[in-house]
Structures are given as C-alpha cells and as structure tokens.
Amino acid sequence: MSINSIDHDEMTEITDKWDINDEVESQKPNKSVKSAQARRRIEALKEIRESGLTLEEAKELGIWH
C-alpha cells in the first residue's frame, strides 16, 4: 500500500473517535497486578534482610532499586 493511497479523511474520522481515557485506562495495572508486585518487593526485602545486607548495600549491588 502506498502512502498516497491512504484516505486521509477516513484516517481523520478514525482519530476523532479515539478517546484518550481509553488509552490511559488500558495502561493502568489492575489491583491483582499491583498486589503481585507488592508481594515480590516484600519477598525481595526479606531475602535482603536474611542475607545480612543493608538496603544501601543492596542498592549499591543492584539488588534493590
């Protein structure tokens, strides 16, 4: 398909129908994803504590961000 064969009026109509809120909402993680991320962070902190490292040392080693 050539760029010259694109119907620009049709493209404009399509983009006018887009809603930015639909795009933003689809990018937000849902509650279960947030909970899973929190659990992973807690587990990582427990492992750091059990290893005897401080948070500063873990950050220096790249283990904790």
Side-chain angles (χ1 to χ4, degrees), residues 47-49 51-65:
E47 291 175 6
I48 291 169
R49 183 175 33 182
S51 71
L53 293 173
T54 64
L55 276 179
E56 291 78 23
E57 293 169 332
K59 287 178 184 177
E60 289 174 6
L61 294 171
I63 300 170
W64 184 254
H65 303 281

Side-chain angles (χ1 to χ4, degrees), residues 24-50:
V24 172
E25 288 176 10
S26 67
Q27 295 174 357
K28 293 180 183 176
N30 60 23
K31 187 175 180 178
S32 63
V33 172
K34 288 182 180 181
S35 295
Q37 291 170 342
R39 282 193 300 276
R40 284 193 293 273
R41 286 193 303 272
I42 291 168
E43 284 298 317
L45 286 170
K46 285 180 182 178
E47 291 175 6
I48 291 169
R49 183 175 33 182
E50 290 171 357

